[in-house]
Amino acid sequence: MSNQFVVSVAVPVPLRKTFDYLPSPSAPDRAQYNAGKRCVVPVGRRLLTGVILGTHEAPQVSHDRLRPIEKILDPDNTIPNPVLSLCRWISDYYHAPIGEVLLNALPPLMRQQRTWVQLEASVSTTIWHASTKSAEAKRPRGSKQKLLLELLLQSTSGMEQKDIISQGYTSAQLRSLQEKGLIGSTQVRHFSPPQRDNTNKPRLSDEQQLALQELEDNGHTPSPTLLEGITGSGKTEVYLEWIENRLNTLPSGQILVLVPEIALTPQTLRRFRARFGGNVTCYHSGLNESERLLTWMQVKEGNTHVVVATRSGILLPFKNLCGIIVDEEHDSSFKQQDNARYHARDLAIIRGQQSRCPVILGSATPSFESMNNVADGRYRHIRLSSRISATPLPKVYLIDVKSRPLEGGISPPLLQEIKSTISAGEQVMIFINRRGFAPVIMCVDCGWIAECQSCDVRLTYHRRQNLLKCHHCEKQYRLPPKCPKCESANLKPIGAGTERTEEFLEQQFPDYPVIRIDRDAIQNKGALEQKLTPIRDGAPCLIVGTQMLAKGHDFPNLTTVAVLNADGGLFSSDFRGAEKTAQLLIQVAGRAGRREKAGRVFIQTQFPDHPLLQLIRQHDYQGIYTSEMEMRRQGHFPPVHSMALIRGEAATLEDTLNSLWQMRDLLEATQHSLPSIHGPFPSLIQKKQNRFHGLIWLFSPEKPSLRKFLKHWLHLMESQKPKLSSKFRWLLDVDPIDTL
Ligand SMILES: [Zn+2]
Ligand SMILES: [Zn+2]
């Protein structure tokens, strides 16, 4: 009994360890417990799906306290080694429970207790066909069966079971014919490859051609490359050409293209499909469960060669990965905001090292993390500094709106520019960073402001629905008929959101369409496509929208872009505030003048002399990076230092801060080189959905020492079990993006 082996299993529970089990009585052989198979195991009184990580002889508890594995679900090598080791890396680096990491890396259907055979069947369809002997054989007696056989004899390529059933036959009749050997069936995956069309493949410009050559001259041990191309410089075309060449050299290879949000960038997927047709698969949370499982299987079998995916695509089981592209690498949606809080861009680098394949990070406004890696010589740097249209970048004008009247958020000089653009037959895009009609409802007599009852947040007025909405918890309120404090009926909407600007423009330009694009107007992917089509067609129109407009759109006749209020980002308490503002403004500005006609950008501000706006006016992103990095160096902020944060929440602010202080005491008791610890302090928005939020920040000059420190601290937390307030919840975020 003493040398009996036990099985180590990762189980999706919030504990940072694996669990030991005895082998299942029905599967006694050690070779049946190779790493990467799913199994069903008892946890407390429940049965959960876990992942086998291997076997050993030194269980954490004695054999008689171990329980056997209930059932093995998969054949060997179902979850391949690269995925297992990437998940181990995530678990280690982000201090996330390995079971949760592994199970979340799988498509939802694989998290259920279904065997691989059942899963295969769920994404397959049965095709019935007449067998060779059926033509000469005696006809069956039942007249229905006779008709069914004749039907199948007529169809040369066989028929799908559901089509047969829909014609009034039953599965019993099919089985009966099968038993007589008259018909047979095959299982086929649901899959209809779209058509490929590469008829109008554009010629690369000299600069694009040069960038492509540099990308391809990446030696035997490729280092990651930052492809920094200004807006409109044709990065996507370089990607497409690079992929095509790479797949010509490695016909069985697979390329992963990570994009921020597929629903918001339908044209990116369309361009990949146009170029590679049925070879392109996409993977994102908008797919249904069978589609996700099917894609996972196809990627694993190596049957699809270009995968366009959102962040979770980095965990797909590629058979033969030969390149990774992270497009718009600066986008914060690559950071996972729940469970394992990984950053897909950083995982792309790790995965590239594992698979020894090149990794390209592309952006017009790269993250300062990647710029810093270039400066330190860890990444190569390739630039695309001119637009393919040869039109220069748009000229940026700052409009001083200090003590100027605004109507619908628009100043008189800006209105003038909009008029001249529209009457020249061109399009105008107006960017405003808030949806709704007005961000504030105020009583003019006593100064009362409508706020959410559950959050420290002012309510936004949505006039179409005549509702006040909290943009944090989505709670809705009826507009009060009078002020709840002084009973005055003089309630006024202050400031402008997209709805108000839209309404004002409709009054000013009754002869032109005003197209609003924000989360209220776009509830699904189809709605966005519908709104984008007339804009792409080029008739003069006015487009009003939020940051949904910033992402990669290419509108040929759009020449004027206006930013109604840039000031929110200029004095942000977020140390990344300037970086995020610069990225957003440059991306929005980049929509203007992408073809023959030059573009113009107008930014309304009360602070036209602000250094950040001056640098944006000159399109000097490098200058913004240089001056911001000076500030980060002084403040020990990322990417100069590494950062982690602990976020806690409880029913009162006192409970939250008390518990965080307990955790801080343990941080200081940790026997390891101490990072600098700041806090606890309340979050920027303290109260959200009736919970009070607080933070502790940790900074360290070195990533490895921060990782070791946190590991020690988590051990202390588990062994010493500090007394935290009841209903206190906390999480640890390594390399956080949201830090307030
Ligand atoms: Zn009042
Ligand atoms: Zn709220």
Side-chain angles (χ1 to χ4, degrees):
M1 202 62 185
S2 62
N3 61 357
Q4 192 192 345
F5 72 94
V6 294
V7 185
S8 163
V9 180
V11 180
V13 292
L15 293 173
R16 292 175 177 81
K17 59 173 196 166
T18 57
F19 293 81
D20 287 335
Y21 287 90
L22 297 173
S24 160
S26 62
D29 190 356
R30 191 164 183 163
Q32 287 169 292
Y33 296 92
N34 289 334
K37 291 162 109 165
R38 292 172 310 130
C39 61
V40 178
V41 289
V43 177
R45 295 162 76 175
R46 293 180 300 164
L47 288 176
L48 296 179
T49 307
V51 175
I52 295 172
L53 292 178
T55 54
H56 62 99
E57 285 102 23
Q60 299 139 351
V61 295
S62 65
H63 274 274
D64 52 337
R65 289 178 56 201
L66 291 177
R67 297 202 269 172
I69 286 179
E70 190 79 16
K71 190 177 178 186
I72 299 176
L73 297 171
D74 291 332
D76 269 352
N77 296 321
T78 295
I79 305 168
N81 270 325
V83 174
L84 289 179
S85 56
L86 190 60
C87 286
R88 283 202 183 93
W89 190 91
I90 293 172
S91 169
D92 186 52
Y93 184 83
Y94 295 99
H95 306 280
I98 180 71
E100 291 189 344
V101 174
L102 264 167
L103 269 289
N104 280 310
L106 300 176
L109 285 175
M110 284 183 74
R111 298 173 207 163
Q112 300 174 4
Q113 294 165 23
R114 298 213 226 169
T115 63
W116 185 252
V117 176
Q118 288 169 327
L119 290 173
E120 283 267 18
S122 74
V123 290
S124 305
T125 182
T126 309
I127 305 281
W128 292 95
H129 46 82
S131 66
T132 39
K133 74 173 204 182
S134 62
E136 302 94 52
K138 243 175 51 197
R139 290 290 185 263
R141 266 178 302 164
S143 63
K144 261 293 202 189
Q145 285 185 33
K146 203 164 130 188
L147 286 173
L148 174 52
L149 182 61
E150 266 156 28
L151 182 71
L152 287 172
L153 277 167
Q154 279 160 22
S155 112
T156 44
S157 56
M159 279 181 80
E160 272 194 48
Q161 173 148 338
K162 69 171 170 41
D163 295 335
I164 298 171
I165 304 286
S166 73
Q167 295 196 23
Y169 300 98
T170 64
S171 41
Q173 289 157 356
L174 283 165
R175 265 200 312 278
S176 169
L177 286 175
Q178 187 181 26
E179 278 158 18
K180 292 172 188 140
L182 296 174
I183 64 171
S185 69
T186 44
Q187 294 290 312
V188 178
R189 294 271 178 78
H190 300 294
F191 185 55
S192 48
Q195 288 309 301
R196 174 175 179 163
D197 136 53
N198 56 1
T199 41
N200 49 2
K201 183 169 135 183
R203 244 179 67 91
L204 293 189
S205 70
D206 289 349
E207 195 187 28
Q208 285 174 315
Q209 192 59 48
L210 215 62
L212 179 66
Q213 266 161 23
E214 275 191 72
L215 280 174
E216 288 174 346
D217 294 342
N218 201 357
H220 292 294
T221 46
S223 54
T225 307
L226 176 64
L227 177 62
E228 182 182 5
I230 61 165
T231 56
S233 61
K235 282 187 299 297
T236 310
E237 207 49 50
V238 175
Y239 300 153
L240 291 170
E241 199 72 20
W242 182 78
I243 294 171
E244 186 164 321
N245 292 348
R246 193 128 180 96
L247 292 180
N248 282 340
T249 333
L250 302 162
S252 63
Q254 294 173 294
I255 307 267
L256 170 64
V257 183
L258 290 177
V259 295
E261 279 165 272
I262 284 181
L264 295 184
T265 51
Q267 71 275 37
T268 307
L269 187 61
R270 205 168 32 231
R271 286 179 69 183
F272 276 86
R273 283 225 199 278
R275 188 69 162 262
F276 302 109
N279 257 332
V280 179
T281 311
C282 61
Y283 189 77
H284 55 91
S285 58
L287 299 179
N288 69 33
E289 292 191 339
S290 329
E291 288 168 331
R292 290 177 79 176
L293 177 62
L294 190 62
T295 306
W296 198 89
M297 289 173 166
Q298 282 170 340
V299 170
K300 182 172 146 64
E301 287 156 8
N303 288 336
T304 180
H305 298 283
V306 181
V307 179
V308 180
T310 50
R311 60 172 182 263
S312 57
I314 195 65
L315 289 158
L316 283 169
F318 290 93
K319 187 180 183 192
N320 198 0
L321 187 62
C322 70
I324 305 176
I325 294 170
V326 184
D327 189 27
E328 308 291 352
E329 65 89 38
H330 64 279
D331 197 284
S332 59
S333 74
F334 287 122
K335 170 85 173 171
Q336 168 106 340
Q337 292 296 1
D338 49 21
N339 296 312
R341 299 173 164 255
Y342 63 78
H343 200 302
R345 178 189 65 224
D346 299 342
L347 292 189
I349 304 294
I350 302 295
R351 185 120 204 215
Q353 284 166 359
Q354 282 179 351
S355 310
R356 294 173 182 279
C357 71
V359 178
I360 301 171
L361 310 178
S363 176
T365 51
S367 64
F368 288 2
E369 277 77 6
S370 296
M371 306 262 290
N372 189 49
N373 280 326
V374 167
D376 287 350
R378 283 188 290 268
Y379 294 178
R380 299 191 311 150
H381 194 194
I382 299 177
R383 277 205 176 94
L384 291 170
S385 50
S386 53
R387 288 187 149 185
I388 29 175
S389 59
T391 315
L393 278 171
K395 205 161 159 42
V396 179
Y397 303 87
L398 301 172
I399 299 180
D400 188 350
V401 292
K402 228 175 350 245
S403 60
R404 255 190 216 273
L406 300 180
E407 265 192 282
I410 293 172
S411 63
L414 177 57
L415 186 62
Q416 215 41 54
E417 300 295 347
I418 295 174
K419 275 185 184 147
S420 72
T421 306
I422 280 287
S423 48
E426 295 160 13
Q427 297 172 336
V428 183
M429 177 188 279
I430 293 133
F431 172 77
I432 176 162
N433 217 354
R434 11 167 135 108
R435 57 201 173 88
F437 186 81
V440 175
I441 283 279
M442 192 173 84
C443 167
V444 179
D445 292 321
C446 77
W448 171 84
I449 286 174
E451 287 183 357
C452 179
Q453 286 161 6
S454 316
C455 314
D456 279 341
V457 169
R458 291 172 171 181
L459 294 173
T460 301
Y461 178 45
H462 289 248
R463 178 132 104 188
R464 303 228 160 161
Q465 299 157 288
N466 202 31
L467 286 173
L468 296 172
K469 288 188 192 175
C470 172
H471 284 185
H472 267 272
C473 70
E474 305 298 326
K475 210 165 171 173
Q476 302 187 350
Y477 302 81
R478 282 229 287 278
L479 183 68
K482 52 192 176 182
C483 171
K485 211 168 133 197
C486 75
E487 307 220 320
S488 154
N490 213 352
L491 297 179
K492 224 181 130 188
I494 309 288
T498 45
E499 267 187 34
R500 191 172 206 168
T501 303
E502 176 192 28
E503 194 178 288
F504 173 71
L505 291 171
E506 277 169 346
Q507 289 158 8
Q508 293 289 318
F509 302 95
D511 300 332
Y512 295 96
V514 178
I515 300 166
R516 178 161 62 94
I517 294 180
D518 60 22
R519 199 142 61 78
D520 299 317
I522 310 291
Q523 303 282 0
N524 56 55
K525 187 181 159 198
L528 180 62
E529 271 303 284
Q530 211 173 19
K531 297 224 172 199
L532 293 180
T533 308
I535 308 176
R536 276 196 215 105
D537 290 347
C541 66
L542 300 116
I543 309 146
V544 180
T546 57
Q547 57 264 50
M548 272 180 134
L549 290 174
K551 308 214 181 210
H553 299 294
D554 188 17
F555 304 130
N557 196 28
L558 176 69
T559 55
T560 296
V561 165
V563 177
L564 293 198
N565 184 359
D567 296 348
L570 299 181
F571 304 98
S572 158
S573 41
D574 181 357
F575 69 85
R576 286 198 182 88
E579 179 185 353
K580 289 177 182 167
T581 303
Q583 287 166 345
L584 185 61
L585 291 182
I586 290 172
Q587 294 284 348
V588 173
R591 302 309 115 209
R594 290 167 75 98
R595 298 294 159 87
E596 301 75 32
K597 297 175 208 158
R600 300 178 307 161
V601 177
F602 299 93
I603 300 177
Q604 295 192 145
T605 174
Q606 305 212 21
F607 309 94
D609 298 327
H610 194 286
L612 181 63
L613 290 179
Q614 288 299 327
L615 289 166
I616 287 172
R617 202 170 62 80
Q618 294 151 24
H619 302 283
D620 187 2
Y621 192 68
Q622 185 70 40
I624 296 169
Y625 167 74
T626 308
S627 78
E628 279 299 304
M629 281 299 281
E630 198 42 50
M631 189 278 287
R632 306 254 182 119
R633 229 166 261 128
Q634 284 166 15
H636 294 190
F637 288 118
V640 182
H641 280 205
S642 301
M643 180 178 187
L645 66 75
I646 299 162
R647 193 180 287 280
E649 50 162 289
T652 68
L653 186 59
E654 203 190 345
D655 280 356
T656 302
L657 295 180
N658 280 343
S659 297
L660 285 171
W661 272 112
Q662 300 260 5
M663 295 171 93
R664 178 171 174 143
D665 288 346
L666 273 192
L667 285 168
E668 281 171 2
T670 303
Q671 297 297 314
H672 204 274
S673 66
L674 214 57
S676 61
I677 306 173
H678 302 253
F681 49 82
S683 301
L684 182 65
I685 299 172
Q686 284 178 22
K687 188 173 127 193
K688 290 178 204 160
Q689 290 178 277
N690 289 319
R691 303 271 298 169
F692 288 81
H693 294 245
L695 295 166
I696 296 175
W697 283 357
L698 303 160
F699 296 102
S700 167
E702 281 178 68
K703 271 186 198 300
S705 77
L706 182 62
R707 192 172 56 83
K708 275 189 206 143
F709 172 84
L710 290 170
K711 198 148 249 158
H712 278 262
W713 172 69
L714 287 166
H715 272 300
L716 279 188
M717 285 290 290
E718 268 159 35
S719 57
Q720 303 208 355
K721 298 198 170 48
K723 257 187 87 67
L724 305 174
S725 317
S726 66
K727 293 188 180 158
F728 174 77
R729 287 202 303 254
W730 64 276
L731 61 88
L732 173 65
D733 193 350
V734 176
D735 300 337
I737 293 290
D738 179 9
T739 57
L740 294 173

